[in-house]
Amino acid sequence: MELLVLSKPSADLPTQPIDISNWNIPSEYVFADPTFNQPGRVDIILGAELFYLFLKDRRNILGQHHPVLQEYKFGWIMSGSAPVSTPSLSVVCATAVISIDTLMQKFFEIENSDSESSWSVEEQACEDFFVDTTTRDSAGKYIVRLPRKPNMTGALGESRSIALRFFLAIERRLQREPKTRKAYTDFMDEYARLGHMSKVATNDATTETYYLPHHPVFKADSTTSKCRLVFDASSKSSNGLSLNDTLMVGPTIQQDATSILMRFRMHAIAFTADVAKMYRQVWVHNEDRALQRILWRPSTNEPIEEYELNTVTYGTASAPFLVVRSFKQTSNYHGHQFPLAANRLSDFYVDDFVSGDASISAAQNLHAEIDQLYSRGGFALRKWASNEHAVLSAVDEDNLATSPFSTSDSEGALATLGVVWTPSSDVLQFKVGALQDHLESVVLHCTYL
């Protein structure tokens, strides 16, 4: 790891205040840490690959038993031993000595958000359930069971009438909005065409069912589909329970977006992509699909039909865990064949891949391995973008996020983990939502250090 930004407390350094009044430090020296002699938290750890890149030529030895001052790109730094002014402090310091191995082990225990030891009983149960019940089909795609909470099987009340009322209300809206109706119908047609939902047989006698209300949302900054459906698994059934009330959520098994973005901008060659229809690449076992029923008809002239959603459904409580865990399992199974790609699993945030490398050739090799590794699990990456066109020379234009011939920043701007990135100019922008009419976007010009 080249740069590690700490989001949680670690040991303070130094462990006690240091008297520097008689050190004779030149007054013109500006320090990278102006309060280096006072205990404070560690914010950033630089790996050896980066540390020596920022060293400058000047050095100053303050004297015997004093540290050495070294000029650094971010200001002067120092290393070495420091005299302790009082014997009592020496005793305290001696009793507080911790080996570097112990300190680093404690640090990684604190920082590792994917540590199984920090999972709750339910989160561990959800993981165990995934391991015990997940299978794969002949194409390598995952088939998962919905992780029900203990004693919740069969607990749901009647939900069809609630979903029907909701659907009729949405249908009236669609009648007033022809463009919305067409987008809605196109979405449903694609769902059925890809086999992601199937019509329920009229003689089906499943004992426990759950019907999901649904409504459209429009994503203005999407480079693919503008209209998507939201399935409401939190809608209460007749006895007050929803499907989500009966599902285990599962642990968080990916890093936070901020850490991923920080690593992203440490690369000279940066690129992004996303996993196509990620949730719909993981199948739900046919015994659980009755819990994912919907009502639909493309026209009021046709009867309302019942359908079952065959894939993991966005809106169900366990969906993020099931999908991300399946994705991670692909790396576990096949990572030894594609070590470059396997080492970048932490550069994924749900379906967004935000990464890079030191050179064009290295980035090209990484791109090739990423594509091959995750295709083994049925996950295809698309909407590739890079600040260096040559990296994506082997990518079909249909799989690019923007046209390689776009010349304006407005044409090439992409939403990336909550910020806007323009690959051609390598600029990050932060849009201020509520104040957007009064404030211009904050712009950062990204320079590789």
Side-chain angles (χ1 to χ4, degrees):
M1 182 176 291
E2 296 176 339
L3 171 66
L4 187 57
V5 180
L6 307 186
S7 59
K8 300 179 183 177
S10 59
D12 288 350
L13 292 177
T15 56
Q16 64 182 64
I18 299 174
D19 183 8
I20 61 173
S21 59
N22 64 345
W23 282 18
N24 298 320
I25 300 174
S27 59
E28 68 271 16
Y29 283 14
V30 177
F31 285 88
D33 178 9
T35 60
F36 65 88
N37 63 312
Q38 298 297 323
R41 60 168 290 177
V42 177
D43 295 310
I44 294 176
I45 294 177
L46 287 177
E49 291 182 37
L50 288 177
F51 178 82
Y52 294 100
L53 293 177
F54 305 136
L55 288 176
K56 292 191 173 183
D57 295 333
R58 290 198 295 168
R59 181 180 300 173
N60 189 334
I61 301 175
L62 295 178
Q64 190 176 12
H65 304 305
H66 284 73
V68 175
L69 304 185
Q70 171 69 54
E71 191 177 18
Y72 206 63
K73 184 170 183 178
F74 307 121
W76 285 82
I77 60 175
M78 63 177 60
S79 64
S81 61
V84 180
S85 58
T86 64
S88 61
L89 287 178
S90 297
V91 174
V92 172
C93 182
T95 59
V97 169
I98 303 174
S99 72
I100 189 64
D101 290 340
T102 302
L103 188 61
M104 291 305 295
Q105 180 180 358
K106 186 172 183 179
F107 162 73
F108 283 115
E109 287 175 355
I110 293 173
E111 287 298 306
N112 186 6
S113 61
D114 190 19
S115 174
E116 295 185 14
S117 62
S118 65
W119 291 354
S120 68
V121 173
E122 181 179 302
E123 288 172 338
Q124 185 61 56
C126 193
E127 163 69 13
D128 294 342
F129 181 84
F130 177 91
V131 172
D132 292 341
T133 62
T134 300
T135 57
R136 300 176 77 180
D137 65 14
S138 58
K141 289 195 174 187
Y142 294 86
I143 306 170
V144 298
R145 300 296 304 265
L146 297 184
R148 309 293 295 279
K149 293 178 180 178
N151 304 318
M152 280 295 182
T153 300
L156 290 167
E158 190 274 330
S159 58
R160 189 183 188 282
S161 61
I162 299 168
L164 177 60
R165 287 199 302 271
F166 201 96
F167 173 71
L168 293 175
I170 288 293
E171 192 173 55
R172 288 192 292 271
R173 173 188 168 185
L174 298 180
Q175 291 298 104
R176 298 191 301 268
E177 303 175 12
K179 289 184 179 180
T180 304
R181 183 176 70 245
K182 183 180 186 309
Y184 211 102
T185 302
D186 289 346
F187 186 95
M188 286 295 200
D189 286 347
E190 181 196 60
Y191 230 93
R193 185 176 69 254
L194 296 176
H196 297 163
M197 73 178 187
S198 303
K199 191 177 294 186
V200 177
T202 55
N203 60 349
D204 181 90
T206 304
T207 54
E208 188 178 27
T209 59
Y210 182 82
Y211 291 80
L212 297 152
H214 49 88
H215 63 274
V217 293
F218 292 88
K219 192 173 182 181
D221 59 355
S222 173
T223 58
T224 52
S225 174
K226 304 296 182 184
C227 174
R228 297 184 181 182
L229 266 62
V230 172
F231 299 98
D232 185 8
S234 294
S235 175
K236 303 297 183 181
S237 64
S238 59
N239 64 3
L241 286 177
S242 69
L243 175 61
N244 281 347
D245 292 331
T246 74
L247 294 175
M248 293 187 286
V249 175
T252 299
I253 53 176
Q254 286 186 319
Q255 292 187 4
D256 63 282
T258 302
S259 300
I260 297 172
L261 277 173
M262 290 291 289
R263 285 199 305 274
F264 169 59
R265 291 318 304 141
M266 292 302 297
H267 300 295
I269 308 299
F271 54 82
T272 62
D274 75 23
V275 182
K277 297 179 174 61
M278 186 175 187
Y279 279 63
R280 290 197 267 158
Q281 305 312 317
V282 179
W283 297 105
V284 168
H285 194 281
N286 56 15
E287 291 184 17
D288 290 337
R289 293 175 185 177
L291 297 172
Q292 297 190 152
R293 288 191 177 179
I294 65 169
L295 302 175
W296 170 245
R297 63 180 174 186
S299 168
T300 55
N301 297 323
E302 301 178 36
I304 295 175
E305 303 279 4
E306 296 187 5
Y307 293 84
E308 288 179 352
L309 305 183
N310 301 329
T311 61
V312 170
T313 299
Y314 185 81
T316 56
S318 55
F321 170 76
L322 292 174
V323 169
V324 172
R325 185 63 179 82
S326 298
F327 192 78
K328 180 179 180 180
Q329 192 65 28
T330 305
S331 182
N332 293 345
Y333 280 145
H334 306 286
H336 65 282
Q337 298 173 266
F338 309 100
L340 295 177
N343 288 335
R344 298 304 181 90
L345 177 64
S346 60
D347 287 348
F348 282 91
Y349 186 77
V350 191
D351 60 345
D352 287 315
F353 180 55
V354 181
S355 190
D357 221 309
S359 67
I360 292 176
S361 60
Q364 288 174 328
N365 291 336
L366 177 58
H367 161 262
E369 282 206 7
I370 287 287
D371 257 356
Q372 294 179 74
L373 170 57
Y374 292 105
S375 67
R376 298 294 195 275
F379 301 101
L381 275 82
R382 62 175 182 178
K383 296 198 291 186
W384 286 92
S386 176
N387 60 352
E388 177 55 66
H389 291 317
V391 172
L392 306 178
S393 59
V395 180
D396 292 338
E397 189 169 344
D398 291 343
N399 283 329
L400 296 176
T402 61
S403 169
F405 307 108
S406 61
T407 55
S408 69
D409 284 355
S410 60
E411 290 179 357
L414 305 170
T416 305
L417 298 187
V419 300
V420 177
W421 180 48
T422 305
S424 58
S425 56
D426 208 1
V427 168
L428 286 175
Q429 294 177 296
F430 298 84
K431 288 188 176 180
V432 184
L435 302 178
Q436 197 165 349
D437 293 338
H438 307 287
L439 298 175
E440 293 185 357
S441 300
V442 178
V443 179
L444 295 180
H445 290 270
C446 302
T447 302
Y448 172 67
L449 297 177

